[in-house]
Amino acid sequence: MTLTPPRRQLASLSPREQLRSGRMPRRLLQLFVGLSCFGASMGMMVRARLGLAPWDVFHWGLTSRLPLSFGTIVIIVGALVLLLWWPLRQWPGLGTVCNVVWVGVASDVTLGLLPPPEAMGWRIALMVGGVVLNGLASALYIGSQLGPGPRDGLMTGLSQRTGRSIRLVRTSIEVTVLVVGWILGGVVGVGTVLYAVAIGPLIQLFLPMMVVDLPGAARYAAKPAGREPIQPRP
């Protein structure tokens, strides 16, 4: 008889519990690798010029109107979104705060190092690689169990306060930022569609492998990783 190993769990932890659940060196390393890869994936999709994720359409639209870098816009928007957590009674973790700054820095570094390719083959490779890397990066930083991204907290907070489903709130937020970003000059294209279709299955594929097992969190309520994938934004 073949025994199936149990799935590692995503624990439901308060900010204090996140810090007291052990394995911090491994979790911090995984967090920052994940956030760095997330920012790099955003830079790759920008350079592909074939369409961006909905929030990045908004970021790029603002970048085209303001004398600020893409990464700086990502940081500012993340900080403003985080401020909205207060009336929604959401509590950020260490990973949430790091997310706000680190992803923007990593995306600017990537854009500084990666020249925009002209050949369509390279552009497609950057787009596909960026989407896949984004899914892996999301699983890495979520799996570190050090707090969600600021936009995820906005989604869950609005859902709790309004009584609406996560699906409805998530769709409403993403459609809104996509439309506003497009009006501002953000890039919408086949990459936007690919991201919307692929990011959920990619996170569901990677997340069970990336969740850090926390023996110290065994007493907290938990849910299986990978059953209902989160689709984070930085």
Side-chain angles (χ1 to χ4, degrees), residues 23 25 31 74 77 126 146 173 176 199-200 213 216 234:
R23 305 194 70 182
L31 171 69
V74 171
V77 171
L126 273 180
L146 285 168
I173 292 174
T176 299
I199 192 62
D213 186 36

Side-chain angles (χ1 to χ4, degrees), residues 180-221:
V180 173
W182 177 71
I183 292 173
L184 292 173
V187 181
V188 178
V190 65
T192 309
V193 177
L194 176 63
Y195 187 93
V197 171
I199 192 62
L202 284 170
I203 296 173
Q204 183 156 341
L205 172 66
F206 291 128
L207 185 55
M209 297 180 284
M210 299 301 170
V211 174
V212 179
D213 186 36
L214 300 178
R219 63 185 180 276
Y220 304 121

